[in-house]
Amino acid sequence: MFNTIQDVKQLKPLFKSDNLIIMSSDNNYALYLGVCVQSIIANQNPKYNYDIVILEDNITDNNKKLISNLCAQRKNIAVRFFNMKEFAERYKKLFYVRAQFSMATYYRFFIPEIFYQYTRALYLDCDLVVCKDISPLFTMDMKQNYILTTPDIQVINDCSLKQPVDGWSLSFDKYLADILKIKNPNRYFQAGMMIMDINKLKKFDMLSKCIERLKEVKHPVYVDQDILNSVFYNYVGFIDLKWNHVYHVQKTDYLAGNIPDVMYREYLKAREEGPCVLHLTGRQKPWIRPNQILAECFWQYARQTPFYEEIIYRNVLLNQPTIQTKQDIPLFLPNIKDVLNYKNNYIKYLKYKLLTKLSWGKKHSKYKQKKNIYKNKIKNARNFLKDN
């Protein structure tokens, strides 16, 4: 059976060693969460214990049972679920989401408050696979840092090229500097894998600082990751990119000269030797396009789970209209909401377009930002209808 906890007082370390792994997911990603858990189990070091806690709200009992059964015969691995409904309700209206992101991504804000009986944690996104033993992360020296993680090479690249930000009237370098208050874009990190010093984060009052910053930014491009970067800019240390190898960079040449040489070499080395953790970033996931580079890393663990057939069925069913006509299968779901709300979004776009012309100063900037957000939603809907 599965173990669901609703009282933080019950969240105590299960093993003598404080090897806590935290993940977060909703039911939409439960299948891929199961694959991630299986990848951890497949690469586990029997000398270590793995205390896995999944932050969730609506994962079905059946999916919880299937995920828990993956480690039922393992004495050194445990999976528990913690219901986040009570915590998430406090800030539900504040948690801005866009594109493929869900509200579950904000659960990271609550880690020090929920896991106060632990001293350290390894946070992993559910859309990744562990390709090698991750036990070295349990004992890695954090020095004076509150968080250890890897740089986000895509954002650093976009800042170098001064790429425009979707929904904003700023380029990425200006967005980081002016909105997020990040002076050096090379220190922007990818929050899908984080080693966290919970004691330091508790004293720092992480939750309050993140909520306060979110209220100021309002519509962060990369949702909670932008907020974490803004808050922990001076408190983060960096480790090798092999521990969070981003999947969406299929062709690496475009990064050359746009990110620091040491990062570029590090990324290429991980690609050549095989990453320790493969983060399935981007819209074109391996279950959408199974012929991409490193997609096999996902499928080898998917086959070891009871979710394998459902993953195939779900994605074939959703993409059936496009398979017959296109070699490249687009991501189907994220833009449906924009299509359904097209009329309402178009009216709001016209409203803020008019207000932009009739205002100045702070109000002008606010209305312009709103106009760009709804313009982007309209664009997403039109592109989706054109492609499908």
Side-chain angles (χ1 to χ4, degrees):
M1 283 297 293
F2 56 89
N3 188 345
T4 296
I5 300 170
Q6 291 183 308
D7 186 353
V8 293
K9 294 179 181 178
Q10 299 176 19
L11 268 179
K12 299 178 181 179
L14 289 182
F15 306 103
K16 290 182 180 179
S17 55
D18 195 5
N19 296 339
L20 171 65
I21 299 175
I22 303 171
M23 306 172 72
S24 63
S25 178
D26 57 19
N27 197 57
N28 291 327
Y29 254 72
L31 311 183
Y32 312 112
L33 167 68
V35 176
C36 181
V37 170
Q38 177 57 34
S39 72
I40 295 172
I41 296 169
N43 292 285
Q44 58 93 23
N45 184 335
K47 296 180 180 179
Y48 288 85
N49 297 313
Y50 299 76
D51 186 358
I52 303 173
V53 179
I54 297 162
L55 306 179
E56 59 85 28
D57 184 3
N58 62 354
I59 296 180
T60 65
D61 288 351
N62 186 58
N63 282 335
K64 288 180 183 178
K65 179 182 177 181
L66 292 174
I67 293 170
S68 297
N69 286 346
L70 293 172
C71 64
Q73 306 302 317
R74 304 276 184 174
K75 293 183 178 180
N76 67 322
I77 304 176
V79 173
R80 293 178 288 172
F81 297 86
F82 183 81
N83 189 281
M84 289 293 296
K85 186 174 182 179
E86 180 183 340
F87 286 85
E89 283 295 324
R90 301 187 215 167
Y91 307 102
K92 189 175 182 179
K93 294 182 179 179
L94 184 64
F95 290 155
Y96 167 76
V97 293
R98 62 184 290 273
Q100 69 267 34
F101 302 104
S102 72
M103 196 174 72
T105 190
Y106 285 97
Y107 293 168
R108 292 183 277 203
F109 287 1
F110 300 96
I111 286 176
E113 188 172 339
I114 295 172
F115 297 95
Y116 67 91
Q117 299 186 77
Y118 289 81
T119 59
R120 180 174 170 142
L122 170 62
Y123 175 85
L124 297 175
D125 271 354
C126 64
D127 64 335
L128 56 77
V129 286
V130 170
C131 306
K132 299 178 182 178
D133 175 33
I134 56 172
S135 61
L137 298 177
F138 294 144
T139 56
M140 197 166 284
D141 185 6
M142 297 192 68
K143 299 179 181 178
Q144 300 302 314
N145 299 299
Y146 295 8
I147 292 173
L148 289 182
T149 184
T150 57
D152 191 315
I153 57 174
Q154 186 62 61
V155 170
I156 295 170
N157 175 82
D158 292 346
C159 284
S160 177
L161 295 176
K162 302 185 186 303
Q163 294 278 20
V165 181
D166 289 343
W168 291 76
S169 57
L170 297 172
S171 58
F172 259 102
D173 57 317
K174 290 290 185 181
Y175 169 70
L176 261 64
D178 298 347
I179 306 300
L180 301 184
K181 310 303 180 186
I182 294 175
K183 298 177 182 178
N184 181 0
N186 291 340
R187 290 185 59 80
Y188 184 97
F189 60 85
Q190 219 294 339
M193 185 288 303
M194 296 185 290
I195 306 169
M196 311 175 77
D197 187 321
I198 294 180
N199 285 336
K200 285 189 173 71
L201 296 177
K202 283 188 294 189
K203 294 177 182 177
F204 188 67
D205 196 10
M206 172 179 169
L207 176 60
S208 295
K209 285 185 169 60
C210 287
I211 294 299
E212 181 182 346
R213 197 73 191 91
L214 180 58
K215 288 179 179 178
E216 295 170 353
V217 178
K218 292 185 176 62
H219 300 104
V221 177
Y222 291 120
V223 292
D224 68 312
Q225 178 172 280
D226 281 358
I227 303 303
L228 291 169
N229 268 274
S230 185
V231 169
F232 291 102
Y233 175 72
N234 292 315
Y235 306 96
V236 61
F238 294 95
I239 60 176
D240 197 294
L241 283 165
K242 67 182 180 181
W243 293 110
N244 189 8
H245 190 83
V246 289
Y247 175 78
H248 72 275
V249 181
Q250 290 290 298
K251 295 181 179 180
T252 61
D253 293 351
Y254 76 90
L255 295 171
N258 296 328
I259 66 173
D261 288 344
V262 64
M263 289 184 194
Y264 187 57
R265 290 194 300 270
E266 210 169 79
Y267 189 85
L268 291 180
K269 184 179 179 181
R271 172 68 62 88
E272 182 180 347
E273 297 180 356
C276 298
V277 175
L278 177 63
H279 192 174
L280 306 174
T281 51
R283 291 176 179 268
Q284 300 298 339
K285 308 292 188 183
W287 51 88
I288 299 296
R289 294 186 62 188
N291 60 333
Q292 292 201 115
I293 298 170
L294 296 178
E296 70 278 3
C297 297
F298 167 81
W299 287 107
Q300 68 170 313
Y301 300 113
R303 293 187 194 98
Q304 300 171 23
T305 73
F307 303 110
Y308 179 57
E309 290 82 2
E310 187 177 351
I311 290 171
I312 295 175
Y313 173 78
R314 178 187 290 187
N315 288 282
V316 168
L317 183 66
L318 290 176
N319 293 294
Q320 191 172 6
T322 64
I323 290 175
Q324 299 172 358
T325 58
K326 290 191 176 185
Q327 183 177 357
D328 296 333
I329 304 173
L331 186 62
F332 195 89
L333 290 178
N335 293 323
I336 289 181
K337 187 176 180 181
D338 289 339
V339 173
L340 295 176
N341 294 321
Y342 181 86
K343 183 177 180 180
N344 188 43
N345 289 337
Y346 188 73
I347 292 172
K348 288 184 178 180
Y349 165 72
L350 294 177
K351 169 188 171 182
Y352 287 113
K353 183 179 180 181
L354 177 62
L355 288 172
T356 300
K357 295 180 179 180
L358 300 176
S359 60
W360 55 89
K362 290 184 178 180
K363 283 192 175 182
H364 175 81
S365 299
K366 178 182 177 181
Y367 293 144
K368 188 173 182 180
Q369 181 181 332
K370 291 274 190 180
K371 182 196 74 171
N372 288 334
I373 289 172
Y374 287 105
K375 182 180 180 181
N376 191 52
K377 289 178 180 292
I378 294 168
K379 182 180 177 182
N380 286 342
R382 287 174 176 172
N383 289 337
F384 175 82
L385 292 171
K386 180 181 178 182
D387 293 339
N388 293 279

